[in-house]
Amino acid sequence: MRLSGKIAIITGSASGIGKATAIRFAHEGASVAVTDLNTAGGQSTVDEIKATGGSAFFIEADVSNEASVVSMTEAVIDAQGRVDILVNNAAICEGMDVLDIASETWDRNLSVVLRSVYLCSRAVLPHMITRKQGSIVNIASVNGITAVGNAAYSAAKAGVINLTQNMACSYGEYGIRVNAIAPGTIRTEIWAEREKSNPNVFDDIADWYPLKRVGKPDEIASTALFLASDEASFATGALFVIDGGLTAGMRKWTDVAMASE
Ligand SMILES: NC(=O)c1ccc[n+]([C@@H]2O[C@H](COP(=O)([O-])OP(=O)(O)OC[C@H]3O[C@@H](n4cnc5c(N)ncnc54)[C@H](O)[C@@H]3O)[C@@H](O)[C@H]2O)c1
């Protein structure tokens, strides 16, 4: 087992990528603190893990709220004695272009997507520094590296990538690794509103992907598992783009541009 005896906090693990990561980590021997605003969903992740013999417990927390993050972290440390792994995964995605985004929406997205990574990392880092070990995995997005809409969310994800690099450089000497993952489209609840207005949204998007499909939560969980484990012992400050080839190039553009040849 790749995470035997490790204590992992996974934010936003009531659903989607966070849930798949929690299940995967527990399967590999970690004791998982499932944290989310969604109590019913979080509890169901815990129940699923326990039903297969894994170890998990739920703590309700709002990652954008400082007091909530501090009390969630202290609850894990009181109960388990330490934190080995933090996966900063919770997010929302609201608003499209700058002219359409109300300032409250901008602030909320920056707070849940970016400030949360600062708050949760700041809460666990002192404990990791004392023990001279730890792994932080930040779930960023292809939105953080190229323009694909959702301006507030995307700017926040770009911030997550830079924060990953800064924390990797600042705390590497204490044996702490900090990495980020940039997923492409993954079929999860975060797409629920868009799927409501276009039930074929995933099929329509798939055509832009070299692999001709969108991804599954477990395909991000497997990279998070690698980064959290000792197998990634020399990886820090890195961005792992797991996007079915979306940002590798523009084949559809190439087909149009070269059509005259
Ligand atoms: N699904 C995609 O296409 C995609 C692509 C790139 C990146 N991502 C990123 O993957 C991560 C997981 O997203 P997902 O697709 O699984 O979405 P999801 O909506 O299924 O899961 C997000 C979880 O975060 C929780 N959450 C939201 N606000 C919170 C808060 N303030 N405090 C605590 N929990 C909160 C939600 O309750 C939910 O359980 C996010 O960081 C997202 O930006 C997703």
Side-chain angles (χ1 to χ4, degrees), residues 21-179:
T21 304
I23 291 169
R24 200 74 186 265
F25 279 26
H27 186 71
E28 291 290 339
S31 184
V32 180
V34 171
T35 81
D36 206 293
L37 278 177
N38 175 354
T39 306
Q43 197 51 57
S44 102
T45 302
V46 169
D47 293 346
E48 231 174 282
I49 289 171
K50 286 188 167 168
T52 54
S55 169
F57 52 99
F58 177 70
I59 303 177
E60 186 181 332
D62 176 350
V63 290
S64 64
N65 179 294
E66 186 168 0
S68 180
V69 167
V70 169
S71 80
M72 176 272 286
T73 310
E74 292 310 325
V76 174
I77 286 164
D78 286 351
Q80 307 290 324
R82 64 183 199 280
V83 178
D84 299 297
I85 300 160
L86 167 66
V87 181
N88 283 308
N89 166 79
I92 54 169
C93 179
E94 302 168 328
M96 193 59 189
D97 296 322
V98 165
L99 292 180
D100 314 322
I101 298 173
S103 60
E104 297 77 20
T105 308
W106 178 274
D107 290 346
R108 191 167 51 248
N109 277 261
L110 268 284
S111 184
V112 177
V113 176
L114 177 57
R115 187 171 186 267
S116 63
V117 177
Y118 150 71
L119 289 177
C120 294
S121 302
R122 194 182 62 166
V124 304
L125 275 166
H127 304 280
M128 290 179 169
I129 288 170
T130 301
R131 297 183 58 243
K132 292 208 168 359
Q133 58 175 286
S135 174
I136 298 178
V137 180
N138 296 325
I139 308 300
S141 172
V142 292
N143 288 56
I145 52 180
T146 192
V148 284
N150 300 119
Y153 169 86
S154 301
K157 289 295 191 185
V160 169
I161 293 167
N162 187 272
L163 186 54
T164 299
Q165 294 167 325
N166 265 291
M167 292 196 293
C169 290
S170 297
Y171 307 112
E173 67 181 289
Y174 302 105
I176 297 162
R177 297 183 298 101
V178 188
N179 292 286

